[in-house]
Amino acid sequence: MNERENILGRIREALRFPARRPGSHGVTEGKTALPTVAERREVLPPVSSSFDAQMALFARNCAELRADFKLCRDADEVIAELARLREAEGWSRIASHRGPQTESAVTSFGLPVLWTERGYDKHELERCAAGITACDALVAQTGTVVVSTRTGGGRALNVLPPHHVVLATRDQLVPDLPAAFATLKERYGADYPSMISFITGPSRTGDIERILVLGAHGPKKLTILCV
Amino acid sequence: MNTAAKQFVRDATRLSADLRHRGLIQTALGKYEVKRDEMKARFHDWERARQLAADTKWEAINHLDQYLDQFVRQLEARGTKVHWASSARQARDLIRGILAARGARTVVKSKAMTAEEIHLNEDLERAGFTVVESDLGEFIVQLRQEPPYHIVFPAMHLTRGEIKDTFEARLHDAPSDTPEELTMVARRVLRQKYVEADAGITGANFAVAETGMISITENEGNARLTAALPTTMITLLGIEKIVPRLEDLALLLPLLSVAGAGQLLSGYNTLYGGPRQPGEPDGPEEYHVVLLDNGRTAYLADAEQRDALHCIRCGACLNVCPIFRNVGGHTYGTTYSGPIGSVITPNLRGLPDWKHLSYASSLCGACTETCPVKIDLAHHLLQNRRNASRVKPSWWQKLAFKLFAPVANSQFLWRWLVTKGGRVGWVFHRLVLGTRFDPAYAWTRTRDLPPIAPQTFREWWRARQNGSAEAGNGGNAAKP
């Protein structure tokens, strides 16, 4: 028996009677009107069109989410910042993936690196102190970092190690969620990565008496270094 | 009363008088309300956002065949195996079959209400699989062998002390009762499970037809790990999860986060479009999507209540419901509790057994007002009452209305009843007040019955119109 045909058949049968439109009094007719990008923008939290204001909003959202955000002058400052984290947290082994943003920064300070882009041993990744990745976009509206299997070194690198460090560039900042989805569509078109994640702050839970605890399963710390 | 109704009344009576339980729920939901209102206020126009979200889900649900077909074709094109299950049993058989074919023994699960709906865990455990819930709240209730208390906050009814005791008894590891340390115990235990598990099972919050992706919203990262490390990934989702386009999520994701947890955007909102693709470093070798009907197509056929399938399972209607806030989640005895559960359960599992849930409502309409996709929950509860009486009329209700109708239709009889008749009845009522012979016992058992006013409104009005000296203060002192 073909359940696909059974279920689709039942759906078609069920839909012969039209349903009332939401928010109307009994209206079932009318042309399909999916919200447009402009309509969605009008209702979502407003974001200024100025780049500096967007960057400031992103920083404010990060602070609220308890993610560490630092706007760096140049690549050297990013490396200095990574070295500072290495000292502060006593990293002995880190994981990353080879890419234009990550490779030079990660190789510059002499720690053993587990590179993930060609496959890796998950037990080894579990023992790494930090995962350093690139990203697809930063969303000012929500303080979100968008990563995918291509920019985040796979699925696990950006969520398994206890500290996730994102190396981003200023031109990756987008104002809002509609712009983030438009960026993804433009970049990947018909060939999307098998995973795309909107990461908003470090891993968190409120499951015990609704008290916020960071680092439930994923990273306890999220650091975003933007150059 | 049937068993389910008896159980509801028994548990509701007990819990509504349990001040400790009430304290826990009020504290948890009080915190939620503050954050939710703060985030709603950040929206430029929250009410319009609800309307746009409702329009999006209306379009998807009312063209479900087309969008579902598109979703499945897109998924299959990138190597995902899609399975269709008409019933809970078929879904369980399919999932057991997939796990067996892959030679899997241990399964790590992220939160999925569809899995609760089909009682997947019990079934897999009976078949010899080891199943570990990875969401912290679900992990806690699984250790206690309880069902989740709330669709978003599964362990909301437990204190940190109770959770510490559970960890001590079941894991022999509970250094203290601070939420931080308890969370770290779970983190340690579960990290090993992710790395060792053969298969991961997830639910989904949305299914994007345009690109053939599922979307999972979470805060902990447990679903991320479930989808990253095991070599087999299975997603069980209800067919109503469809949204037409990828960009629709730009609105639906923040709406779900605000309504569900009082966050502008939850920690991880992740799209999955297939197994590990060529050139990707990790991810499952096989990805299976199981589409679940289990009564949804029958629901779809009810045009009046079709919008109940717009539900995004945010739990907002539970959080604002005065009934839920007093009787709690377990009292309902259903997978989905609160107003949405009271609306859909009688239609999915049978009106005669579950019609009592239609009365678990004060009809205040708070659920309808808060629903981020504008489901008309309060009216659906009324429609369920109407439908239940059509399916199986109750003889005493019919008799009561037969007696009531001629009285209510006659001016003379009605006036007599509310004046002299009522007062005569009042005298006799005192004799049985508060005893089981009292016809109003359900009320008078725990409450005072207010006395009948000395005057009817008509009498008061007439006295007032006659212009007695005291008319200015409402004519209370009017004398015959």
Side-chain angles (χ1 to χ4, degrees), chain A residues 3-4 7-8 10-12 14-15 17-23 32 34-35 37 39-40 42-46 61 64 116-117 119-120 122-123 126 141-142 144 149 153-156 158-160 162 177-178 181 185 191-200 203-205 207-211 213-220, chain B residues 28 31 42-45 48 51-52 54-56 58-59 61-62 65 69 72 78 84 86 90 134-135 137 153 159-160 182 184 187 190-191 194-195 210-211 213 219-220 222 224-225 227-229 245-251 254 264-275 280-282 284 293 297 300-301 303 306 376:
Chain A
E3 285 307 322
R4 177 191 171 118
I7 292 175
L8 287 175
R10 285 199 296 272
I11 293 172
R12 287 187 196 112
L15 291 176
F17 299 98
R20 179 172 82 82
R21 286 186 169 272
T32 302
L34 276 171
V37 174
E39 278 180 305
R40 272 195 294 268
E42 278 168 24
V43 300
L44 285 167
N61 278 323
E64 198 181 292
T116 62
E117 75 280 354
Y120 59 90
K122 56 190 177 184
H123 295 91
E126 207 269 324
Q141 190 173 47
T142 52
T144 301
T149 46
R155 295 192 185 195
N158 52 74
V159 76
L160 187 62
L177 288 169
F181 280 101
K185 201 169 207 166
D191 184 27
Y192 284 98
S194 73
M195 182 220 70
I196 301 168
S197 192
F198 286 64
I199 300 176
T200 310
S203 160
R204 58 191 56 222
T205 185
D207 273 348
I208 301 175
E209 293 187 8
R210 308 289 311 130
I211 293 165
V213 178
L214 297 185
H217 295 287
K220 297 175 189 177
Chain B
K31 286 182 188 174
R42 287 196 195 176
F43 269 64
H44 194 76
D45 189 344
R48 179 91 188 115
Q51 181 65 40
L52 296 183
D55 288 345
T56 307
W58 188 94
E59 165 68 17
I61 293 295
N62 284 279
D65 51 334
D69 194 53
V72 169
R78 307 216 303 154
W84 301 71
S86 285
Q90 279 178 357
S134 59
D135 172 85
F153 317 126
T159 62
R160 58 182 87 183
L182 290 171
M184 291 312 136
R187 180 182 170 102
L190 287 167
R191 275 177 93 77
Y194 293 119
V195 180
E210 178 190 31
T211 55
M213 293 171 182
N219 273 307
E220 298 180 1
N222 59 312
R224 287 284 321 269
L225 290 165
L229 299 172
R245 305 166 305 183
L246 188 59
E247 63 188 78
D248 293 323
L249 296 182
L251 178 65
L264 189 52
L265 199 60
S266 294
Y268 299 93
N269 285 279
T270 311
L271 294 155
Y272 295 100
E280 290 184 344
D282 57 4
D293 177 346
T297 47
L300 198 66
R306 189 176 293 157
D376 197 359

Side-chain angles (χ1 to χ4, degrees), chain A residues 74-164:
Chain A
D74 51 23
D76 289 342
E77 198 183 344
V78 170
I79 293 167
E81 199 56 37
L82 285 172
R84 196 184 60 74
L85 289 172
R86 179 195 62 194
E87 294 310 314
E89 296 182 9
W91 293 349
S92 57
R93 188 170 168 73
I94 52 175
S96 187
H97 63 107
R98 289 193 176 83
Q101 262 124 47
T102 50
E103 194 166 4
S104 62
V106 172
T107 45
S108 67
F109 62 102
L111 276 180
V113 182
L114 175 72
W115 297 105
T116 62
E117 75 280 354
R118 289 176 192 279
Y120 59 90
D121 176 42
K122 56 190 177 184
H123 295 91
E124 271 189 63
L125 181 62
E126 207 269 324
R127 286 192 291 271
C128 289
I132 302 173
T133 74
C135 69
D136 286 284
L138 306 175
V139 187
Q141 190 173 47
T142 52
T144 301
V145 181
V146 184
V147 301
S148 64
T149 46
R150 285 179 216 168
T151 57
R155 295 192 185 195
L157 176 63
N158 52 74
V159 76
L160 187 62
H163 192 163
H164 178 204

